[in-house]
Amino acid sequence: MDKAIGIRLIEAVTAYRHTPHHPNPILQDNKWLAASCLQKSIRRGLVEPALSAAIELHRIDPEYSFSRLGVIAYEDIGLANPDLCAEVLLAKRKAIRKRVGDERLLAYLVQQCAESTKDRTATDLLCLSVYDPHVDQLEHQCRISTPTQLADMALDDSHPLAVRSSACKCLAGYSKFANGRYEVLSAPRMTYLMDVCETLGVSPTIQYLVQAGHNKTSYINTMLPLLHQIISNSPTLSVAESNIATPLIGGIPAATFDKYTQVGKQAMAYFAKACAPVRQFFERHPTIKPVAALGMLLFHIEGSLLNRSINFAGRADILNEIEFAEMASVGIHDALLVAELRELVRHNMPALNAARRKILGVAK
């Protein structure tokens, strides 16, 4: 399959009309800000900011630019466009890059990703295995289970999705960082995960994504068999277009400045103190850490939104489940409190963006 994908990719890139792009000065020499801008722009379908960010990221770290785009493809596009995911993953190979040129290849793939229909459900399934309130029990159960038992857990749709996703992740070999070191929870048993794919009737392309994404996609590849089953069992499948307001700061999406960037964290801290209604919320709930809570909430309000995505039965339930679990992980266990803070932040987004501009030092 690699050869067929490679030929298709080379032909498409060769025919691509490439126009050189110049990086935005705000992104200069800032690897993590460029990576964040690339991903947020792709999610929103913003081709120009995405290309600008990709060029700067490649200038800073060529290898990382292709690796990061591979994770973005699995994380934000997934089964909405599996052929494109396969192309992005294969594009990191030196032979293809030498044949068509890094900049042209990267620009083609970034534009394709930005214009593609998208889906983040595989990422949400993975996050359920991380943020589920019973994660310690899940990990213990996976640690003591045999590969056959893990495969059975993955296939049993009477189990909660957090259980099934944990089982799939452990079949691929799972380690987590704890107490200053990586702890191996399970050894790789990919043949069993591929057996799960076969049992669920997963297509050859998706099987390729599961296998080829091993150790390259932060375990997102292991969620694809479950997602395939969920989508296949849905009585309806549609594409939803979203008219998302996307304010720009310095020419890049405001959502770029998230909890993973220095500017984002500083702006949230300033906003939590300068915006009176938000400050009063945290004063009433002193155990909640403002930046952690705002960072997680903003991911759901703005950071993870897609301009065009597939919709199927059960998608909304998964979204609600993961949002509740993730907000609980930052200390907000009450759904009413989550709703209250969400409304406060939504109402005061202009103040948050003003804080971002202040920290960044730009007028608009």
Side-chain angles (χ1 to χ4, degrees), residues 277-291:
V278 176
R279 182 183 69 248
Q280 291 162 6
F281 174 90
F282 288 113
E283 287 173 348
R284 293 195 303 273
H285 307 284
T287 61
I288 300 174
K289 296 180 179 179
V291 173

Side-chain angles (χ1 to χ4, degrees), residues 32 36 142 193 300:
W32 309 121
S36 180
C142 289
L193 186 58
H300 291 281

Side-chain angles (χ1 to χ4, degrees), residues 141-220:
Q141 182 62 44
C142 289
R143 192 198 300 262
I144 64 174
S145 297
T146 66
T148 300
Q149 289 171 329
L150 288 171
D152 289 342
M153 289 164 60
L155 290 167
D156 188 348
D157 59 11
S158 69
H159 286 312
L161 285 171
V163 172
R164 301 181 70 197
S165 60
S166 295
C168 286
K169 185 168 63 176
C170 284
L171 283 174
Y174 174 48
S175 302
K176 76 172 184 177
F177 192 76
N179 301 318
R181 62 186 180 87
Y182 277 97
E183 178 185 5
V184 177
L185 297 183
S186 68
R189 281 134 328 167
M190 283 296 291
T191 54
Y192 286 87
L193 186 58
M194 300 314 295
D195 288 343
V196 170
C197 289
E198 289 282 355
T199 303
L200 293 177
V202 171
S203 71
T205 300
I206 298 174
Q207 288 191 43
Y208 173 84
L209 293 179
V210 174
Q211 185 73 58
H214 183 52
N215 289 334
K216 300 181 183 73
T217 60
S218 303
Y219 300 107
I220 300 172

Side-chain angles (χ1 to χ4, degrees), residues 38-102:
L38 173 62
Q39 187 155 23
K40 305 307 184 298
S41 299
I42 284 175
R43 286 174 181 167
R44 299 298 182 87
L46 302 174
V47 175
E48 295 303 317
L51 289 170
S52 177
I55 293 305
E56 178 62 14
L57 191 60
H58 182 268
R59 188 191 69 78
I60 297 169
D61 189 338
E63 299 306 316
Y64 179 76
S65 66
F66 282 96
S67 296
R68 185 61 196 163
L69 189 60
V71 174
I72 290 172
Y74 273 74
E75 187 171 335
D76 296 321
I77 295 170
L79 296 194
N81 193 341
D83 288 337
L84 177 57
C85 288
E87 289 182 359
V88 174
L89 196 65
L90 196 66
K92 189 178 179 181
R93 295 191 177 180
K94 295 286 188 181
I96 292 177
R97 290 167 58 181
K98 185 177 181 180
R99 177 81 174 270
V100 297
D102 270 21

